[in-house]
């Protein structure tokens, strides 16, 4: 009979991975408290953490503070924490609007970043070249070589996959071509992922107050994309197919779009649809601010001028906005209920304070204050979208590997 078991390396990786995740969630913590959390002996934790300190992954912060009311006998606890500058991560994002590239430490703190608008004439080779040159510049500016880099995480919007020559293989998106090309260019490991899913994780990482519970992440652009986080994990069926949300009906019998049900998210809530609704009521009398901002040219209406017209109070434009917010409220409410969501994060909606407050008021009137309190705006907009890639590569190449460089084992 063939015997099977876990290797020493796998056991070591798992123990270190658990320790890193406990420290990440709790902040500076003592070995005693780590042992209690993991339900293993203090001696085992001491051996593992001392080795990680020698490697530079962890460091001793100092003695734990105590209050006069809770004076403890004997030696005070020594707190340990993750050395945020042990390694660094590169991240990049490719959406239908931007390419953003950034460099961060293990705490996700941005050290440097750059971005550019994605133009229709850019090829997949142009995009990869921009990412490669940007990464080289960011490393050079911070005096880092590849030995200090965990890797590069590239988060790609699902509807950009065909442009990047990424296709399905065995039911999953095959990123291997992009990963191989960028890895050859940079000399570091490259991990690709879905942009919406990666941004959902990055936003949850930014929310240091509370990371537990289910989260809904809704990304607006030329398409609408959705990611669901179930207790810090992206719902498996939702990892690649984030644009399936466009098939949900939010206005029965509403606007039409070929290939989708009438009144679907695709027909009612994409950027192009909202702009089309503004064009239908566009006139000098009804939308004076929008008229002036576009010199009377309906084709010059874009997302920026449209939201400005909303907040300036163009009467007909505000009517369009209120209709959009009501439809969006229906979608957010249904998703919140279906997935028992603790928070609903909106990304790419480009709401200013006035519009955001109006949306929360609409949500309160239609569904109650409880829903309104759940609605949040994304912390990774525009030139910060590279944080999705950063989050992915730190999770995969640091936490999930227990800080072990497997090539040296």
């Amino acid at each position: 009979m063939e015997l099977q078991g876990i290797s020493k390396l796998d056991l070591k990786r798992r123990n270190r991975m658990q320790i890193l995740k406990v420290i990440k969630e709790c902040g500076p913590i003592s070995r005693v408290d780590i042992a209690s959390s993991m339900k293993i002996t203090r001696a085992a934790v001491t051996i593992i953490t001392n080795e990680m300190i020698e490697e530079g992954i962890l460091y001793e912060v100092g003695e734990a503070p105590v209050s006069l009311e809770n004076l403890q006998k004997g030696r005070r606890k020594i707190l340990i924490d993750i050395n945020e500058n042990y390694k660094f991560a590169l991240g990049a994002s490719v959406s239908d609007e931007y390419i953003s590239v950034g460099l961060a430490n293990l705490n996700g703190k941005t050290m440097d970043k750059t971005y550019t608008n994605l133009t229709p004439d850019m090829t997949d080779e142009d995009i990869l070249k921009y990412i490669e040159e940007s990464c080289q510049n960011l490393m050079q500016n911070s005096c880092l070589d590849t030995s200090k880099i965990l890797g590069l995480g590239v988060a790609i919007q699902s509807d950009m996959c065909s442009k990047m020559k990424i296709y399905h293989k065995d039911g999953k998106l095959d990123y291997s071509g992009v990963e191989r090309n960028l890895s050859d260019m940079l000399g570091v490991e490259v991990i690709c992922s879905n942009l919406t899913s990666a941004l959902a994780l990055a936003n949850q990482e930014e929310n240091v107050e509370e990371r537990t519970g289910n989260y809904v992440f809704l990304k607006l652009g030329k398409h609408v994309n959705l990611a669901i986080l179930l207790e810090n994990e992206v719902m498996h069926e939702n990892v690649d197919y984030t644009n399936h949300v466009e098939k949900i009906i939010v206005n029965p019998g509403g606007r039409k779009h070929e290939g989708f049900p009438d009144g679907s998210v695709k027909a009612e809530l994409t950027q192009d649809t909202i702009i089309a609704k503004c064009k239908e009521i566009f006139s000098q009398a009804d939308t004076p601010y929008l008229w002036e901002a576009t010199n009377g040219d309906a084709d010059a209406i874009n997302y920026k001028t449209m939201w400005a017209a909303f907040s300036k109070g163009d009467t007909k434009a505000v009517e369009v906005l209120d209709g959009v917010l009501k439809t969006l409220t229906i979608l957010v409410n249904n998703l919140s209920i279906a997935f028992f969501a603790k928070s609903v994060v909106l990304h790419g909606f480009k709401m200013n304070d006035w519009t955001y407050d109006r949306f929360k008021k609409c949500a309160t009137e239609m569904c109650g204050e409880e829903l309104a309190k759940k609605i949040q705006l994304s912390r990774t907009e525009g030139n910060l979208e590279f944080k999705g890639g950063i989050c992915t590569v730190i999770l995969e190449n640091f936490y999930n590997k227990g800080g072990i460089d497997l090539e040296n084992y």
Side-chain angles (χ1 to χ4, degrees):
M1 183 177 70
E2 183 180 354
L3 297 178
Q4 294 183 345
I6 184 170
S7 70
K8 289 183 178 180
L9 179 58
D10 280 339
L11 181 60
K12 180 177 183 177
R13 178 186 61 80
R14 289 185 186 183
N15 286 334
R16 289 169 59 131
M17 176 181 70
Q18 286 182 278
I19 287 173
L20 287 173
K21 290 188 175 181
V22 169
I23 298 174
K24 176 186 177 184
E25 292 301 319
C26 301
I29 186 173
S30 70
R31 293 171 175 85
V32 174
D33 292 331
I34 292 174
S36 176
S37 176
M38 292 177 59
K39 294 181 173 55
I40 62 175
T41 67
R42 177 182 174 181
V45 171
T46 298
I47 292 171
I48 298 169
T49 55
N50 283 352
E51 182 183 59
M52 295 173 78
I53 288 172
E54 289 179 7
E55 294 173 10
I57 298 171
L58 303 178
Y59 73 102
E60 291 187 344
V61 177
E63 293 184 339
V66 295
S67 64
L68 293 176
E69 294 79 13
N70 295 294
L71 287 175
Q72 63 187 89
K73 296 179 181 180
R75 185 180 177 184
R76 286 163 60 181
K77 295 178 180 178
I78 302 297
L79 303 181
I80 59 175
D81 202 355
I82 296 170
N83 175 10
E84 63 180 18
N85 295 320
Y86 167 68
K87 294 277 187 177
F88 301 87
L90 291 163
S93 68
V94 181
S95 73
D96 52 19
E97 293 184 273
Y98 310 106
I99 309 169
S100 79
V101 185
L103 174 71
N105 65 15
L106 290 178
N107 277 346
K109 180 181 178 183
T110 301
M111 300 177 62
D112 202 356
K113 64 182 185 295
T114 185
Y115 85 109
T116 188
N117 292 322
L118 195 150
T119 58
D121 61 322
M122 293 181 75
T123 66
D124 62 311
E125 293 179 351
D126 295 331
I127 294 170
L128 295 183
K129 187 64 176 175
Y130 177 81
I131 293 173
E132 185 262 334
E133 290 178 350
S134 297
C135 287
Q136 296 284 12
N137 290 336
L138 295 181
M139 286 192 292
Q140 184 177 358
N141 293 343
S142 295
C143 300
L144 297 172
D145 59 33
T146 55
S147 67
K148 292 291 288 183
I149 302 297
L150 277 173
L152 165 65
V154 184
I156 303 171
Q157 191 162 306
S158 55
D159 41 294
M160 291 298 297
C161 285
S162 59
K163 186 180 187 73
M164 299 296 294
K165 297 178 181 176
I166 298 168
Y167 306 106
H168 281 90
K169 182 180 180 180
D170 299 326
K172 295 182 179 180
L173 286 170
D174 181 12
Y175 295 106
S176 60
V178 172
E179 291 172 339
R180 184 170 54 253
N181 288 337
L182 281 172
S183 183
D184 290 343
M185 290 176 177
L186 288 166
V188 300
E189 183 177 354
V190 178
I191 301 173
C192 291
S193 60
N194 178 280
L195 177 59
T196 306
S197 298
L199 287 174
L201 287 168
N203 266 270
Q204 194 173 32
E205 288 294 313
E206 294 277 321
N207 185 9
V208 295
E209 292 84 9
E210 189 61 72
R211 293 193 178 105
T212 59
N214 299 344
Y215 284 73
V216 168
F217 185 87
L218 200 59
K219 183 179 183 299
L220 177 65
K222 293 179 180 178
H223 295 269
V224 181
N225 285 272
L226 169 73
I228 305 295
L229 297 189
L230 306 178
E231 293 291 344
N232 295 312
E233 298 285 342
V234 179
M235 190 174 73
H236 180 72
E237 295 81 4
N238 186 225
V239 171
D240 291 329
Y241 298 96
T242 55
N243 59 356
H244 277 199
V245 66
E246 293 186 328
K247 296 181 178 181
I248 294 176
I249 297 173
V250 287
N251 183 23
R255 297 174 76 94
K256 299 180 182 297
H257 194 285
E258 186 177 355
F260 291 82
D262 293 352
S264 66
V265 168
K266 178 70 172 178
E268 298 283 350
L269 288 175
T270 63
Q271 285 186 357
D272 289 344
T273 297
I274 299 172
I275 290 173
K277 291 179 179 181
C278 283
K279 287 182 178 181
E280 291 167 4
I281 50 89
F282 181 68
S283 72
Q284 188 171 9
D286 293 332
T287 55
Y289 176 85
L290 193 58
W291 184 274
E292 182 178 351
T294 59
N295 293 318
D297 182 7
D299 291 332
I301 297 174
N302 57 37
Y303 218 59
K304 184 177 180 180
T305 57
M306 181 181 67
W307 282 105
F310 293 156
S311 59
K312 291 292 183 180
D314 275 2
T315 306
K316 290 293 184 180
V318 171
E319 290 180 8
V320 169
L321 171 66
D322 287 341
V324 169
L325 295 182
K326 288 178 181 178
T327 305
L328 181 59
T329 296
I330 292 170
L331 175 61
V332 167
N333 181 65
N334 291 347
L335 292 172
S336 174
I337 293 171
F339 296 102
F340 302 93
K342 183 175 184 178
S343 293
V344 179
V345 180
L346 304 180
H347 183 95
F349 286 77
K350 301 178 182 177
M351 293 183 180
N352 56 26
D353 291 342
W354 180 87
T355 325
Y356 181 51
D357 289 342
R358 196 175 185 91
F359 177 45
K360 297 192 78 170
K361 182 179 178 181
C362 176
T364 301
E365 292 174 349
M366 291 182 65
C367 302
E369 190 174 347
E370 182 179 351
L371 178 66
K373 288 180 178 179
K374 293 181 180 181
I375 299 169
Q376 301 176 7
L377 296 181
S378 171
R379 303 175 188 224
T380 55
E381 294 280 3
N383 64 353
L384 295 177
E385 287 189 345
F386 68 86
K387 286 191 173 185
I390 294 283
C391 180
T392 299
V393 80
I394 291 176
L395 178 64
E396 292 296 329
N397 280 0
F398 182 68
Y399 287 102
N400 288 352
K401 291 181 179 179
I404 295 175
D405 183 357
L406 295 177
E407 291 184 358
N408 295 326
Y409 280 84

